[in-house]
Amino acid sequence: MIKIIIVLLLLFILFNLFRALFIMVSGKTQGRPMSHFLGRRVLFSVVVLIVVIAALKLGFISGNNAPLIFTAHTQI
């Protein structure tokens, strides 16, 4: 369930990014400014980060315990 919420939030972030891009390219001056959509993108990026950290701490998702494993390769 938490993974679905994170994916939906990431899709909403992309949606806001492309809305800001559309406003920037079209040059529309009516309606909401481009900074509104960029601000929402930043806000939801922070929300995703907080949700991921909270899910890790509460045990809903598990992290990678050994992200870097160095093995010694010996050449014969």
Side-chain angles (χ1 to χ4, degrees):
M1 182 69 180
I2 194 76
K3 292 178 184 179
I4 294 171
I5 292 171
I6 292 170
V7 168
L8 290 175
L9 284 170
L10 290 173
L11 289 174
F12 189 67
I13 289 168
L14 282 174
F15 174 73
N16 280 314
L17 184 63
F18 282 109
R19 289 216 31 202
L21 176 69
F22 177 73
I23 290 173
M24 182 178 70
V25 171
S26 68
K28 289 189 338 183
T29 56
Q30 296 100 315
R32 297 185 186 256
M34 180 179 61
S35 62
H36 173 77
F37 296 108
L38 292 177
R40 284 173 63 176
R41 182 185 65 89
V42 170
L43 173 71
F44 282 102
S45 296
V46 170
V47 169
V48 166
L49 185 65
I50 290 171
V51 167
V52 168
I53 291 172
L56 280 170
K57 292 293 182 184
L58 294 174
F60 293 128
I61 58 176
S62 62
N64 188 0
N65 293 332
L68 297 176
I69 299 174
F70 294 104
T71 58
H73 297 288
T74 58
Q75 188 173 6
I76 299 174

